[in-house]
């Protein structure tokens, strides 16, 4: 294998969801002969069933290809695949930091989308060479010339620089490989100085421990070396080192410019953080590479087993999932309504859906997930600040000076005829419009600052609904901001149901509480006694509905005679129902906890 830096190219593919990124990677692997015969299948780099079904990349997969260039030299092409969703924004930024070039792929039918623009800005920030690629030119509805004009407006490139390919048929792939070799700059670095490598991903292997995916910028690391991580100052011995084909290919060393893996032997993948810098204990580099941050969960939800006997199985499953996903956090919690469970933290709503689906599929669990919440900053009157991600644990209102909620900077790209509905649903969810710019004659980019709590519940579904599926959304965390927020409790027969507690804006508390009560009235089964459902803020009840009781006609056997006989029987029934209510507990069905998500705003 060549280690000549001039014959190396490190690049990634960035695209909006479903613009053909994984299929394009398949064609590159096929064209270079990296994958052939029995290993050839669709979406080779997407190994999870979920990735294939949803058509998204969840986990990054690097791979090395050898390509015979037009000049007769053999080139080493390192493709660093990136996750394809806004929830994995930080992981994408670290993957881009490990490259010198990026293929910016756009669907010839759909054109430039919100995530395309966001990923482009990220790539420009990292000073990458951008190769514009229009994919799916084989489709009958393809508009390559129209999309090419969008590219020219967006990045100011020359029309001749835009490559038109079909990842499905393989058309234009040979030209694309030539463009990668000719346009993407070779990596810089000296293999003989102190090592400095960027960890852009990590996984857990039960045999060799935490495995770091590394791009070497300087120096050389060999098998058996003692390495040190800057982020947490931990030290490990390199048990195995090498590069990627479809699997891991062991090698004696990794040198400057190369992309590969280092098996650290760490028992916890959280010790090997994405974005950290690796160096040698005996010969350390001057300092870490810029851009490192600990990925923080943004969305929180309670996960409870439907059958409490599965509690230990859920604990075991979460521990196993966390081995491969350092961004997943969890802690034990107890709910009076749902029993024992876990409060889990996720990067976003898609991350939450994926984790829940994996828990149910791979570990055969039946779960109830509570309403997704965000992390609030609570400024107390004594001057201290507390972080609360479970609304039921909010301090007493008399101790609170202000509540700050996370605000995200959202970008919506929509056809111009849907601008009105998009602005309307955004303003209804307390969004503040920042900008509106026309990308071309047909599509508009609208920017909002919007509370994350409003975004995670049903905003995306509503956006797709009002734009008939044409709009695309992208967002990133901006800041925490104070607002007039209060805790809304749901009481059933006077008892608070902690799993239905939520933090809402004071202006929305009455309407939200009333709709929730009405929804619960439909779902809570009738009892032999009346069940009162109330929405309250502190001691003040805002809304109430009642589930009517079953009623046995105890006077049916009384025909004729004195009215006092009937009254006596009714009084006896009334007393029995009162006693029943004292000892009876209302069983809340699983659908009631999901009702919060289905409440129409």
């Amino acid at each position: 294998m060549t280690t000549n830096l001039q014959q190396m190219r490190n690049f990634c593919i960035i695209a909006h969801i479903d613009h053909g990124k994984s299929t394009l990677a398949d064609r590159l692997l096929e064209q270079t002969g990296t994958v052939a015969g029995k290993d050839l299948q669709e979406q080779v780099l997407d190994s999870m069933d979920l990735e294939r079904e949803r058509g998204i990349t969840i986990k990054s997969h690097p791979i090395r290809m050898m390509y015979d260039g037009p000049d007769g030299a053999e080139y080493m092409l390192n493709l660093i695949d990136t996750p394809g969703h806004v929830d994995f924004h930080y992981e994408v930024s670290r993957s881009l930091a490990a490259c010198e070039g990026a293929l910016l792929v756009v669907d010839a039918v759909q054109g430039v989308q919100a995530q395309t623009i966001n990923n482009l800005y990220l790539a420009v920030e990292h000073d990458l060479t951008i190769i514009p690629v229009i994919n799916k030119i084989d489709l009958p509805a393809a508009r390559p010339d129209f999309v090419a004009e969008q590219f020219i407006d967006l990045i100011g490139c020359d029309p001749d620089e835009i490559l038109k390919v079909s990842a499905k048929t393989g058309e234009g792939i040979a030209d694309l490989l030539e463009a990668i070799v000719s346009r993407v700059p070779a990596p810089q670095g000296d293999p003989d100085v102190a090592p400095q490598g960027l960890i852009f991903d990590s996984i857990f292997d039960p045999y060799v421990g935490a495995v770091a995916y590394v791009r070497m910028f300087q120096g050389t690391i060999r098998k058996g070396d003692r390495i040190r991580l800057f982020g947490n100052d931990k030290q490990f011995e390199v048990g195995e080192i090498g590069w990627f084909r479809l699997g891991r290919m062991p090698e004696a060393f990794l040198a400057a410019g190369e992309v590969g893996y280092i098996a650290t032997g760490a028992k916890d993948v959280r010790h090997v953080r994405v974005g950290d810098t690796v160096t040698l204990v005996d010969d350390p580099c001057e300092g870490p590479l810029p851009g490192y941050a600990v990925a923080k969960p943004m969305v929180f939800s309670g996960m409870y087993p439907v059958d409490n006997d599965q509690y230990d199985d859920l604990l075991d499953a979460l521990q196993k999932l966390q081995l491969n996903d350092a961004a997943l956090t969890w802690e034990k919690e107890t709910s009076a309504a749902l029993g024992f469970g876990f409060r889990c933290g996720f990067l976003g709503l898609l991350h939450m859906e994926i984790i829940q689906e994996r828990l149910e599929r791979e570990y055969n669990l039946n779960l109830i997930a509570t309403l997704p919440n965000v992390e609030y900053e609570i400024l107390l009157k004594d001057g201290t600040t507390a972080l609360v991600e479970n609304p039921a644990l909010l301090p007493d209102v008399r101790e609170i000076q202000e509540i700050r909620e996370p605000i995200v900077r959202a970008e919506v790209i929509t056809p111009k005829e849907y601008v009105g509905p998009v602005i309307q649903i955004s303003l209804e969810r307390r969004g503040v419009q920042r900008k509106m710019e026309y990308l071309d004659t047909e599509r508009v980019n609208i920017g909002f600052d919007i509370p994350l709590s409003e975004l995670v519940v049903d905003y995306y579904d509503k956006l797709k609904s009002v734009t008939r599926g044409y709009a695309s959304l992208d967002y990133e965390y901006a800041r925490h901001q104070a607002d007039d927020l209060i805790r809304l409790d749901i009481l059933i027969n006077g008892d608070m149901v902690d799993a239905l507690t939520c933090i809402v804006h004071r202006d929305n508390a009455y309407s939200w509480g009333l709709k929730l009560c009405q929804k619960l009235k439909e779902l809570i089964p009738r009892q032999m006694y009346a069940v009162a459902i109330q929405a309250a803020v502190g001691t003040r009840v805002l809304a109430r509905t009642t589930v009517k009781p079953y009623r046995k006609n105890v006077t049916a056997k009384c025909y004729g005679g004195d009215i006092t006989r009937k009254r006596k029987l009714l009084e006896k029934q009334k007393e029995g129902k009162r006693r029943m209510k004292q000892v009876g507990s209302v069983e809340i069905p699983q659908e009631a906890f999901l009702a919060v998500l289905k409440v129409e705003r």
Side-chain angles (χ1 to χ4, degrees):
M1 289 287 176
T2 177
T3 52
N4 179 356
L5 285 174
Q6 292 310 309
Q7 285 160 261
M8 264 188 229
R9 300 290 183 270
N10 298 321
F11 70 100
C12 60
I13 306 174
I14 52 178
H16 190 77
I17 290 171
D18 207 28
H19 279 207
K21 178 160 70 80
S22 296
T23 313
L24 183 62
D26 290 352
R27 291 294 80 74
L28 292 173
L29 297 176
E30 188 181 5
Q31 187 86 15
T32 55
T34 307
V35 179
K38 61 180 173 46
D39 294 324
L40 197 58
Q41 56 172 344
E42 283 191 23
Q43 291 166 257
V44 173
L45 298 183
D46 291 345
S47 53
M48 271 188 249
D49 289 342
L50 264 175
E51 290 181 310
R52 293 170 178 280
E53 284 170 27
R54 286 174 174 251
I56 54 172
T57 300
I58 297 165
K59 196 77 177 155
S60 156
H61 298 267
I63 195 161
R64 180 186 288 188
M65 302 174 274
M66 302 310 294
Y67 168 66
D68 294 322
D71 56 358
E74 187 182 43
Y75 288 88
M76 180 197 292
L77 308 181
N78 289 309
L79 165 59
I80 299 173
D81 200 15
T82 57
H85 194 272
V86 59
D87 283 3
F88 307 104
H89 176 89
Y90 174 66
E91 283 82 347
V92 173
S93 78
R94 296 303 85 210
S95 294
L96 295 182
C99 305
E100 278 79 33
L103 307 184
L104 184 64
V105 179
V106 170
D107 188 315
V109 179
Q110 296 176 39
V112 172
Q113 303 279 295
Q115 236 162 298
T116 317
I117 293 177
N118 192 47
N119 287 338
L120 170 66
Y121 289 159
L122 264 180
V124 171
E125 264 177 48
H126 289 95
D127 203 23
L128 302 191
T129 299
I130 309 290
I131 300 178
V133 180
I134 299 173
N135 190 20
K136 304 190 185 181
I137 57 169
D138 58 304
L139 294 179
R143 304 173 296 168
D145 296 335
F146 175 70
V147 177
E149 284 175 25
Q150 290 183 340
F151 258 137
I152 293 163
D153 292 342
L154 188 64
I155 58 177
C157 60
D158 197 291
D160 300 335
E161 292 175 14
I162 301 169
L163 298 168
K164 296 172 184 174
V165 305
S166 167
K168 193 174 181 183
T169 64
E171 184 184 343
I173 300 297
D175 294 338
L176 179 58
L177 282 164
E178 281 185 31
I180 292 167
V181 167
S182 60
R183 294 192 213 171
V184 175
Q188 304 294 311
D190 184 347
D192 301 320
V193 299
Q196 188 183 43
L198 171 71
I199 298 174
F200 60 87
D201 204 352
S202 60
I203 61 158
F204 185 80
D205 185 299
Y207 299 105
V208 294
V211 178
Y213 292 9
V214 177
R215 153 73 201 271
M216 294 299 297
F217 280 90
Q218 299 286 353
T220 304
I221 294 178
R222 292 178 168 77
K223 184 179 176 180
D225 283 349
R226 292 282 299 169
I227 56 168
R228 173 178 154 238
L229 305 181
F230 274 94
N232 51 20
D233 210 27
K234 291 204 176 291
Q235 299 181 7
F236 303 103
E237 185 174 323
V238 179
E240 188 184 306
I241 196 166
W243 49 278
F244 297 97
R245 188 143 271 177
L246 272 186
R248 297 198 297 265
M249 312 295 283
E251 187 73 80
F253 62 88
L254 271 184
E258 291 187 303
V259 174
Y261 69 90
I262 296 173
T264 63
K267 295 290 181 279
D268 191 337
V269 78
R270 285 173 295 177
H271 294 157
V272 184
R273 292 275 188 186
V274 174
D276 207 346
T277 303
V278 60
T279 189
L280 288 184
V281 173
D282 300 331
D283 184 16
C285 58
E286 286 182 6
L289 292 158
Y292 172 64
V294 176
K296 273 181 66 180
M298 297 291 286
V299 174
F300 298 84
S301 173
M303 294 269 177
Y304 296 86
V306 172
D307 179 359
N308 264 327
D309 291 345
Q310 287 193 320
Y311 175 79
D312 290 332
D313 297 336
L314 177 56
L315 171 62
D316 188 43
L318 282 169
Q319 286 171 336
K320 285 178 180 168
L321 273 185
Q322 197 177 38
L323 287 174
N324 275 317
D325 190 348
L328 168 67
T329 63
W330 54 267
E331 58 185 39
K332 296 176 182 179
E333 77 169 3
T334 311
S335 159
L338 297 171
F340 295 101
F342 300 89
R343 165 100 358 204
C344 302
F346 309 95
L347 294 171
L349 213 55
L350 178 88
H351 190 211
M352 174 183 152
E353 280 177 37
I354 287 162
I355 295 292
Q356 189 180 350
E357 206 161 327
R358 287 188 68 186
L359 287 170
E360 290 180 341
R361 271 195 202 185
E362 296 173 24
Y363 300 95
N364 204 22
L365 297 168
N366 197 3
L367 302 176
I368 296 175
T370 62
L371 175 73
N373 292 304
V374 297
E375 190 172 62
Y376 295 91
E377 259 181 29
I378 315 296
L379 180 63
L380 300 171
K381 287 183 177 169
D382 63 5
T384 57
T385 305
L387 293 175
V388 172
E389 68 254 8
N390 184 351
L393 300 178
L394 198 70
D396 191 292
V397 69
R398 289 166 295 191
E399 299 172 17
I400 297 173
Q401 186 169 321
E402 65 179 24
I403 302 176
R404 300 175 189 145
E405 62 182 342
I407 303 291
V408 293
R409 186 151 285 189
E411 304 256 329
V412 177
I413 293 183
T414 175
K416 63 182 180 185
E417 57 264 37
Y418 304 119
V419 167
V422 168
I423 292 175
Q424 185 184 344
I425 64 162
S426 303
L427 297 181
E428 282 171 3
R429 282 155 182 75
R430 299 190 286 127
V432 176
Q433 190 178 331
R434 281 186 299 107
K435 65 170 184 183
M436 186 164 86
E437 56 189 26
Y438 278 79
L439 298 174
D440 50 52
T441 54
E442 293 300 317
R443 288 165 331 116
V444 185
N445 182 9
I446 312 170
F448 297 98
D449 281 356
I450 190 167
L452 181 61
S453 57
E454 299 281 348
L455 200 78
V456 297
V457 180
D458 66 345
Y459 179 82
Y460 187 68
D461 293 343
K462 209 75 181 155
L463 180 69
K464 286 291 182 188
S465 173
V466 299
T467 62
R468 300 185 187 176
Y470 284 110
S472 59
L473 168 72
D474 194 48
Y475 65 88
E476 62 182 3
Y477 169 77
R479 62 190 179 278
H480 269 73
Q481 181 175 297
D483 212 331
D484 189 9
L485 303 168
I486 51 176
R487 188 176 96 177
L488 183 71
D489 295 324
I490 299 297
L491 295 92
I492 294 181
N493 271 353
D495 295 329
M496 190 182 101
V497 183
D498 51 3
L500 292 174
T501 298
C502 51
I503 294 175
V504 295
H505 194 274
R506 193 180 295 276
D507 295 347
N508 302 336
Y510 170 71
S511 61
W512 180 248
L514 181 64
K515 285 173 182 169
L516 201 47
C517 287
Q518 288 168 342
K519 193 81 182 172
L520 290 171
K521 183 182 177 181
E522 297 168 18
L523 296 167
I524 290 178
R526 288 172 73 186
Q527 310 290 328
M528 295 303 290
Y529 50 89
V531 177
I533 304 168
Q534 296 167 306
V537 173
T539 55
R540 185 165 149 253
V541 175
L542 299 180
R544 170 186 167 131
T545 56
T546 306
V547 180
K548 288 184 176 170
Y550 286 119
R551 188 169 181 276
K552 182 183 176 187
N553 189 359
V554 291
T555 60
K557 61 189 177 192
C558 286
Y559 48 93
D562 192 355
I563 187 68
T564 54
R565 289 180 65 203
K566 289 188 179 181
R567 281 212 185 114
K568 188 178 171 186
L569 285 168
L570 288 168
E571 286 298 323
K572 194 175 175 186
Q573 182 191 35
K574 193 173 173 183
E575 176 60 26
K577 290 204 173 189
R578 193 180 64 76
R579 277 205 314 274
M580 193 187 296
K581 195 170 178 178
Q582 282 176 350
V583 296
S585 65
V586 184
E587 181 112 352
I588 302 170
Q590 185 180 341
E591 297 81 49
F593 297 101
L594 304 174
V596 193
L597 292 167
K598 298 188 180 107
V599 171
E600 189 67 33
R601 298 292 184 103

